[in-house]
Amino acid sequence: MSGYQLAGHELESPLVNAAGSINGVSTEGILREVSDLAQTGIGAITVGSFTVPPQAGNEARFGAPIYYYDAETRTTYNSMGLPNIGIEAAVRLSPSLTTRAHAMGKIVISSGSPTNASEYGSSVAQAARLAYELLETDADLVEVNVSCPNVVDSGGGRKPIMGYDLESMEELLARLDAEVGVTGRLGLKLPPYLSVEDRLLVPRIAAMLQGRHVFRFLVTSNTIPNQVPRHADSRPLLAVPEGTSGMSGPSTKEVGREQLVLWRQHTDLDIISTLGVDSGHEINCRLQLAANAVGGVTFLWQSSNWKVAVTEMLTGFAEEQ
């Protein structure tokens, strides 16, 4: 027994790859990356986020770059825009994903996110559909992502983030409570609540969650929205409209810790803590702050070998014990 658990599942380790690290428009690429991570000591493998329609992502629309890592500040900026195969293909692919992961003792977290494709309904309708369809697969857990900051709308702005909209959150929870009920498999990926006004939303959302018991775990949190990395002459570095991205990476670890503490004050749901996870020391820090598991992406993307990256993180974590 490892002693690490998430939503009733035993984990080999408390380390998880956050949504976004395994995604894209190639089923072969997704399968390959799941196989690669399954051969490491990682505790759970997150795939997606998937949207209702397939999406090519921002690089296909606007060109490169849509990702930048500042080695000096250790800050990651990404505006991927959820490139993915779409929910129908994701459902078909699920048995192959779980077979690979389960063979190595890993659980699978399948993530879905609403997008700005209004022909598929409102964000709430899309999120609910994604939850229904992913719950019908053999994924061990299902993450509903209400926090992606990088979906570009037709005017060049960004799709509103549902996690900041109490009315939409109430509608989503009420709908899932009535139509799905308690499954023990659903999780909610939230945006960071940074301003005074945003922080006031946390106890209100926590009360909604506690009152309905639809969700078993939280992911706190997605990248910091509305960040613009710039060249020395102040031009936006990324090719997307306005150059806006989500910020993460080791430099955001204080935000990651703060978000974990903030949510732990208001909920007893299991929590995967993300943002700034870059070492075994940081894994240990988040567990001491009452996280159930710890997630990251930059530590994988900035490594040429995912097995080495995971091994280094977990070796450092073991040395902290």
Side-chain angles (χ1 to χ4, degrees), residues 9 42 45 47 60 92 101 106 148 168 170 177 183 187 228 244 267 291 305:
H9 293 273
I42 206 156
I45 298 174
V47 293
R92 292 193 299 269
K106 317 299 180 185
C148 180
S168 293
E170 175 73 24
D177 184 49
T183 70
V228 183
T244 304
T267 184
N305 186 309

Side-chain angles (χ1 to χ4, degrees), residues 193-215:
Y193 296 84
L194 302 174
S195 69
V196 173
E197 293 79 7
D198 288 345
R199 287 172 180 269
L200 293 175
L201 299 177
V202 171
R204 298 177 68 180
I205 295 172
M208 294 179 197
L209 291 165
Q210 183 176 4
R212 292 204 167 85
H213 308 291
V214 174
F215 288 96

Side-chain angles (χ1 to χ4, degrees), residues 114-117 123 126 148-153 157-162:
T115 186
N116 60 350
S123 291
Q126 291 181 49
C148 180
N150 297 319
V151 178
V152 181
D153 62 28
R158 299 298 181 272
K159 176 183 176 295
I161 295 175
M162 191 195 303

Side-chain angles (χ1 to χ4, degrees), residues 40-125:
T40 73
I42 206 156
I45 298 174
T46 307
V47 293
S49 293
F50 302 112
T51 57
V52 175
Q55 292 193 164
N58 287 340
E59 185 170 3
R61 296 177 64 190
F62 307 112
I66 44 81
Y67 172 90
Y68 175 67
Y69 179 72
D70 187 324
E72 182 176 346
T73 63
R74 303 183 74 205
T75 304
T76 301
Y77 301 90
N78 97 79
S79 187
M80 304 294 190
L82 296 172
N84 75 98
I85 58 178
I87 188 59
E88 292 182 4
V91 169
R92 292 193 299 269
L93 187 62
S94 184
S96 296
L97 296 177
T98 53
T99 295
R100 284 165 168 76
H102 289 173
M104 302 302 292
K106 317 299 180 185
I107 71 167
V108 172
I109 305 171
S110 193
S111 177
S113 177
T115 186
N116 60 350
S118 58
E119 64 270 29
Y120 293 93
S122 67
S123 291
V124 170

Side-chain angles (χ1 to χ4, degrees), residues 198-273:
D198 288 345
R199 287 172 180 269
L200 293 175
L201 299 177
V202 171
R204 298 177 68 180
I205 295 172
M208 294 179 197
L209 291 165
Q210 183 176 4
R212 292 204 167 85
H213 308 291
V214 174
F215 288 96
R216 180 71 183 274
F217 68 97
L218 304 177
V219 182
T220 63
S221 64
N222 212 322
T223 55
I224 300 170
N226 302 318
Q227 304 300 302
V228 183
R230 297 183 183 275
H231 293 282
D233 62 3
S234 296
R235 289 179 298 115
L237 195 149
L238 301 184
V240 294
E242 303 175 0
T244 304
S245 64
M247 185 174 78
S248 56
S251 66
T252 65
K253 67 180 59 180
E254 291 298 331
V255 177
R257 295 174 185 178
E258 290 167 0
Q259 293 298 300
L260 168 58
V261 170
L262 178 63
W263 277 98
R264 187 49 80 206
Q265 291 171 347
H266 297 286
T267 184
D268 59 0
L269 293 174
D270 286 1
I271 295 178
I272 302 175
S273 179

